[in-house]
Amino acid sequence: MILCVTFNPAVDTTLFIDQFTHQYRTDAQRIHHRAGGKGNNVGRALITLGQAASVLNPEGGLVGKMHMDLLAADGVKVFSAAFSGETRLAVTLVDNSGHQQACFAPSTPWQAQDAAQFHQAFAQALAGAQAVCLCGSSPSPLATPLFPQFIQMAKELGAVTLLDSYGPALPAGLEARPHMLKFNCAEAAGYLQRPLDNLEEQALAITGLVTNGVEWVVLTLGEHGALLHAAGQTWLARPPQVNVVNPIGSGDAFTAGLLAGRLQGFSPVECFRLGMACAVSNVTVWDACGMNKQQIDEVLAHIKIQAI
Ligand SMILES: Nc1ncnc2c1ncn2[C@@H]1O[C@H](COP(=O)(O)OP(=O)(O)OP(=O)(O)O)[C@@H](O)[C@H]1O
Ligand SMILES: [Mg+2]
């Protein structure tokens, strides 16, 4: 079982319309709801990869109930912590040309009791997990200390840990030395407080982070691919040219591939290849981590990886 933790979930509702107008009323052709949140994207991709996945989210209000129902339909095992506010709703309008406009409901500030509930729920969800990923930013200074605590708790139980975060949760989580760190270039540059404009700077940055228990670092570069530093070696993966539909959630798809590979005993570079294949196939579908196994397998053969 791989436990995927999201601190900032939302229900993502998409209304597909013909075109944007200034009229009072627009009738949508189609509506689609999805359980948003980075860890939930990872969970969906893991199910597609044939792995058992559980997810943990803070959930509150009517939107929280809907979020949990949507997660259950995704086939993941659902854990939740009572949240004093309401789970966020995000509504996106998409027209025929693919133009989008997203509107986010206000988020409710965390209370001390929310952090306590989330800690308790994590301790329960952790039982039986072979791997744990903490995904996304911290929603509150009250939540940030949970990042290192959760990594520490998971490591004590022998689980593999992966951190994919940014902002204050990234240095906080890194204190607990997760086995795997994954982030994109902007997040890494923000953390290191220096530009990572070329391959040399990027490779140097991740090499320096593999230390004291952090075993693998993956730096994703959007359409340019990704870098891995593991076992004393740096690898560069380039994606094949694909039809880009929606790149959102590609980093999450990557996380799923890395963890699925690691639990199957793959070498670091083969985990990296599976992560890339998941990420690249994700950009070809609308729904974050909504790609299928066949799409992943087709891309897998076209990922080019070289040691640098
Ligand atoms: N336009 C693209 N074409 C091909 N592959 C892409 C493209 N965009 C992203 N990818 C793949 O997805 C991976 C992750 O992308 P990116 O660096 O944008 O992650 P991210 O910013 O963490 O995404 P998110 O946080 O939305 O999940 C890349 O390493 C690459 O393999
Ligand atoms: Mg990301």
Side-chain angles (χ1 to χ4, degrees), residues 38 136 164-166 182-184 187 220 249-252 255:
K38 299 197 142 301
D164 176 8
S165 191
Y166 55 93
K182 190 199 73 67
F183 44 18
N184 66 28
E187 293 160 352
T220 63
S250 298
D252 308 326
T255 295

Side-chain angles (χ1 to χ4, degrees), residues 38 184 220-223 225-226 244 248-252 254 276 279-280 283:
K38 299 197 142 301
N184 66 28
T220 63
L221 312 168
E223 64 188 311
V244 179
I248 292 173
S250 298
D252 308 326
F254 212 124
M276 276 290 289
V280 175
V283 310

